[in-house]
């Protein structure tokens, strides 16, 4: 599959405003259900790009999942190899490794959907936390997952 045919659900005008609000809340120290603001260096501009995300813990490791697919922050993360998560004054710098193992990625997606499905199920084309392992593995290619190593 080439990059232009990869799954991606672009945010509409309402979602852009909604994301801006959630990002501002995170910058002010208000995390809704564990959300944070991700900052990652733009792959062409070199500028820090910011977007609200839902950091997810699975079996003691922290992950970022792209519910919307191969988004701009995902493309930037692949080049930058890390970034920052912010909630108020608390900033956690991290490095990131994309998970390519479909079994692990599906396991992370299952627990991610258990926690965040109420917000993101519409981006998973009918796949939910209750879907079979095979269905989750099939959907995993559309939803990049990064394991984070937070700097201490």
């Amino acid at each position: 599959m080439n990059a232009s045919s990869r799954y991606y659900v672009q945010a509409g005008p309402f979602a852009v405003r909604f994301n801006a609000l959630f990002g501002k809340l995170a910058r002010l120290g208000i995390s809704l259900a564990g959300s944070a603001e991700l900052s990652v260096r733009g792959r062409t501009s070199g500028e820090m790009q910011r977007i609200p995300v839902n950091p997810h813990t699975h079996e003691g490791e922290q992950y970022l999942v792209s519910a919307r697919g191969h988004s701009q922050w995902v493309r930037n993360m692949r080049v930058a190899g890390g970034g920052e998560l912010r909630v108020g004054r608390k900033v956690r710098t991290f490095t990131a490794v994309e998970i390519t193992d479909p079994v692990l990625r599906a396991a992370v997606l299952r627990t991610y959907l258990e926690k965040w499905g109420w917000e993101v199920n519409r981006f998973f084309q009918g796949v939910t936390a209750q879907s079979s392992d095979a269905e989750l593995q099939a959907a995993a290619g559309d939803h990049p997952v990064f394991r984070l190593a937070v700097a201490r």
Side-chain angles (χ1 to χ4, degrees):
M1 176 183 300
N2 66 37
S4 64
S5 66
R6 289 190 169 173
Y7 178 80
Y8 172 53
V9 178
Q10 188 168 357
F14 177 76
V16 168
R17 287 192 295 278
F18 192 72
N19 283 345
L21 172 64
F22 273 80
K24 184 172 185 170
L25 289 173
R27 282 191 302 282
L28 293 172
I30 302 168
S31 172
L32 301 174
S35 63
E37 183 180 64
L38 167 67
S39 294
V40 61
R41 189 158 310 281
R43 65 194 180 284
T44 55
S45 71
E47 301 285 322
M48 292 302 274
Q49 306 296 312
R50 301 184 312 204
I51 186 164
V53 292
N54 300 322
H56 178 64
T57 302
H58 173 76
E59 295 185 354
E61 300 279 348
Q62 191 153 42
Y63 295 88
L64 287 179
V65 174
S66 180
R68 291 180 176 271
H70 297 269
S71 63
Q72 294 300 316
W73 77 256
V74 167
R75 295 170 188 166
N76 291 335
M77 186 69 68
R78 288 174 175 147
V79 173
E84 297 175 341
L85 290 173
R86 172 185 300 273
V87 177
R89 293 183 188 169
K90 184 178 180 181
V91 178
R92 297 178 291 150
T93 302
F94 65 87
T95 57
V97 175
E98 189 166 3
I99 303 304
T100 57
D101 173 28
V103 174
L104 175 57
R105 199 164 33 182
V108 172
L109 287 179
R110 182 180 302 285
T111 59
Y112 178 81
L113 289 169
E114 286 170 355
K115 180 170 183 180
W116 296 102
W118 60 273
E119 180 182 354
V120 300
N121 270 350
R122 68 185 178 274
F123 304 121
F124 282 80
Q125 302 174 313
V127 174
T128 69
Q130 290 73 40
S131 295
S132 70
D133 289 345
E135 290 169 322
L136 282 162
Q137 287 176 22
D142 290 338
H143 302 281
V145 175
F146 294 86
R147 179 184 296 125
L148 308 184
V150 178
R152 303 282 171 202

